[in-house]
Amino acid sequence: MIRILVADDEHLIRDAIAGLLDLQEDFEVVGQAASGTEAIAAALRLRPDVALLDLQMPGPDGIDVARRLSAELPECRSIVVTSHGRPGYLKSALAAGVRGFLPKTVSSRMLADVVRKVASGGRHVDPELAAEAIGAGDSPLTPRETDVLALARDGAPVDEIAQRVSLSRGTVRNYLAAAIAKLGGANRHEAARIAAEHGWI
Amino acid sequence: MIRILVADDEHLIRDAIAGLLDLQEDFEVVGQAASGTEAIAAALRLRPDVALLDLQMPGPDGIDVARRLSAELPECRSIVVTSHGRPGYLKSALAAGVRGFLPKTVSSRMLADVVRKVASGGRHVDPELAAEAIGAGDSPLTPRETDVLALARDGAPVDEIAQRVSLSRGTVRNYLAAAIAKLGGANRHEAARIAAEHGWI
DNA sequence: GTCGATGCATGACAGTTGTCATGTACCGCA
DNA sequence: TGCGGTACATGACAACTGTCATGCATCGAC
């Protein structure tokens, strides 16, 4: 019997996936969590075999949770599930000790197979996401450029960004220009959008 | 027996929700669709009692589908489900003839209750979304402002927007300024983000 | 018919942003 | 030690964006 923890902030999805998994005779959903914090607490308490984590959650996201769990509860294997897009997170997910990485576009049969595979010590990464991640490659941005672009993401003016990273206006503009050039955008906002799509910020 | 069509572009979610509903003794999931186009075709073919539609789908979204169905298949009642946020769509959903409107944060029990209620001729709108929609109110933007802001959304420069809506640069800037002022943003991008959060563009 | 309110349109001006030339510090390498 | 490459930092200049004053057309109220 494989003991599973399901974490997703959307109650309906969480219930539905938990119900789906519970239908399998060799699965038992032992707990549910609606946030990263809850997921960590529940995992430490319930010690499941597999933690099925949504990537986007309030508080710590799925990857943060996986990192904590692989450090504090190594016998619990993590699988991260994500909505469409976001191949850029794959690399950091693997670095965080995630054993399975799937988009929500896979079939329920595939999810069950992956849970079994991971529970028995294997790994599984969705081939399509893997291809996209390889195609997209690593972020071309330097750490500083990443910081600055991340702050520019929701429309903050340069001065505010400069203050937050303790830089002069000119320097911030320079980093933004570099990011814009590297990403091929027409301005910072397009660049931020592109970087976000690739999971680089 | 209530015959249900489930439409969601994410296979896993679709499967999971369908499975969840199928557990209910008085429900029968008669079909699934992965896009708005498929949903319309499947509904016309299968003539379900209830169409459960995801808001965000490739091609026609859940509201578009509901509009088509309420025109061409009025005996099929539509329920729209959405990820968190987006109260702004509620009004257009109701205008499109949607009978139920729920965030994906509700429990599975609630979903089942709403399906029964809608199938028997009732309506249900999530109280929290309704409150937010009332609080947020209608879009303060004029049609032109909405057009322009929508185009500014993903970072297009003014000239491109001007071309697309056949306006002078100055006029476009003026509309953007009006939108920025009305929405309380610091620049067009913040304004676009705010409008998007409210579902106004 | 006049009035005010509203939506739409334009151009001048000032402030912000993007581009560029330039400079410093650090690192690996011959 | 000297060299090239990279990340980081700055300021001048040009282009773009946001603000403002202004004008025109439509529509309902009086």
Side-chain angles (χ1 to χ4, degrees):
Chain A
M1 184 69 84
I2 301 174
R3 303 176 67 249
I4 306 174
L5 171 70
V6 176
D8 192 313
D9 57 325
E10 298 184 310
H11 195 156
L12 183 56
I13 306 305
R14 192 167 73 240
D15 267 4
I17 289 181
L20 192 77
L21 294 174
D22 247 346
L23 288 180
Q24 307 285 322
E25 297 197 345
D26 52 338
F27 290 175
E28 182 188 359
V29 175
V30 294
Q32 298 190 11
S35 71
T37 317
E38 275 183 42
I40 293 168
L44 294 177
R45 191 175 67 248
L46 302 166
R47 312 181 80 80
D49 301 311
V50 173
L52 189 65
L53 308 166
D54 191 33
L55 180 55
Q56 295 113 112
M57 282 191 291
D61 67 22
I63 293 177
D64 294 332
V65 173
R67 193 169 9 246
R68 282 284 302 276
L69 293 185
S70 85
E72 299 183 22
L73 196 69
E75 70 270 25
C76 168
R77 278 81 179 241
S78 298
I79 298 175
V80 169
V81 186
T82 173
S83 295
H84 21 339
R86 311 304 178 93
Y89 286 104
L90 209 166
K91 204 182 171 195
S92 42
L94 293 177
V98 166
R99 308 294 289 267
F101 195 89
L102 295 171
K104 282 184 181 167
T105 49
V106 302
S107 67
S108 51
R109 171 186 299 273
M110 173 69 77
L111 175 67
D113 287 347
V114 171
V115 169
R116 284 192 194 93
K117 193 167 167 187
V118 167
S120 64
R123 292 173 175 275
H124 182 90
V125 170
D126 181 74
E128 202 166 327
L129 280 186
E132 281 180 50
I134 291 169
D138 280 359
S139 169
L141 305 175
T142 70
R144 258 316 197 236
E145 285 163 5
T146 306
D147 287 351
V148 171
L149 193 59
L151 289 173
R153 190 177 186 175
D154 42 45
V158 168
D159 280 349
E160 194 181 318
I161 300 173
Q163 271 192 318
R164 288 217 220 168
V165 292
S166 307
L167 249 48
S168 83
R169 274 127 268 207
T171 308
V172 169
R173 292 216 304 280
N174 222 1
Y175 282 124
L176 288 175
I180 291 164
K182 285 177 181 174
L183 298 177
N187 53 45
R188 70 175 67 175
H189 305 282
E190 217 169 16
R193 196 169 47 77
I194 293 168
E197 279 172 12
H198 286 278
W200 292 333
I201 58 175
Chain B
M1 183 68 83
I2 301 174
R3 303 175 67 251
I4 306 173
L5 171 70
V6 176
D8 193 312
D9 58 325
E10 297 183 311
H11 195 157
L12 184 56
I13 307 304
R14 192 168 72 239
D15 267 4
I17 290 181
L20 191 78
L21 294 174
D22 247 347
L23 287 180
Q24 307 285 323
E25 298 195 345
D26 52 339
F27 290 175
E28 182 188 359
V29 174
V30 294
Q32 297 190 12
S35 71
T37 316
E38 276 182 41
I40 294 170
L44 294 178
R45 190 175 67 246
L46 302 167
R47 311 182 80 80
D49 300 312
V50 173
L52 189 66
L53 308 166
D54 190 33
L55 180 55
Q56 295 111 112
M57 282 191 293
D61 67 23
I63 293 177
D64 295 331
V65 174
R67 191 167 13 244
R68 282 285 299 278
L69 293 185
S70 85
E72 301 183 21
L73 196 70
E75 69 271 26
C76 168
R77 279 81 181 240
S78 298
I79 299 176
V80 169
V81 186
T82 173
S83 294
H84 22 340
R86 312 302 178 92
Y89 286 104
L90 209 166
K91 203 180 172 196
S92 40
L94 293 178
V98 166
R99 308 295 288 266
F101 196 89
L102 294 171
K104 281 184 181 166
T105 50
V106 302
S107 68
S108 51
R109 169 186 302 275
M110 173 70 77
L111 176 66
D113 288 347
V114 170
V115 169
R116 285 195 193 90
K117 193 166 166 188
V118 167
S120 64
R123 291 174 177 272
H124 181 91
V125 170
D126 181 72
E128 201 165 328
L129 280 186
E132 281 180 52
I134 292 168
D138 281 359
S139 169
L141 305 175
T142 69
R144 257 319 198 229
E145 285 163 6
T146 306
D147 287 350
V148 171
L149 193 60
L151 288 172
R153 189 177 189 176
D154 41 44
V158 168
D159 280 349
E160 196 182 316
I161 300 173
Q163 270 191 319
R164 288 218 223 167
V165 293
S166 307
L167 249 49
S168 83
R169 275 127 270 209
T171 307
V172 169
R173 291 215 305 281
N174 222 2
Y175 281 124
L176 288 175
I180 291 164
K182 285 178 180 174
L183 299 176
N187 52 46
R188 71 175 66 175
H189 305 281
E190 220 170 12
R193 199 169 45 77
I194 293 168
E197 279 171 12
H198 287 279
W200 291 334
I201 59 176

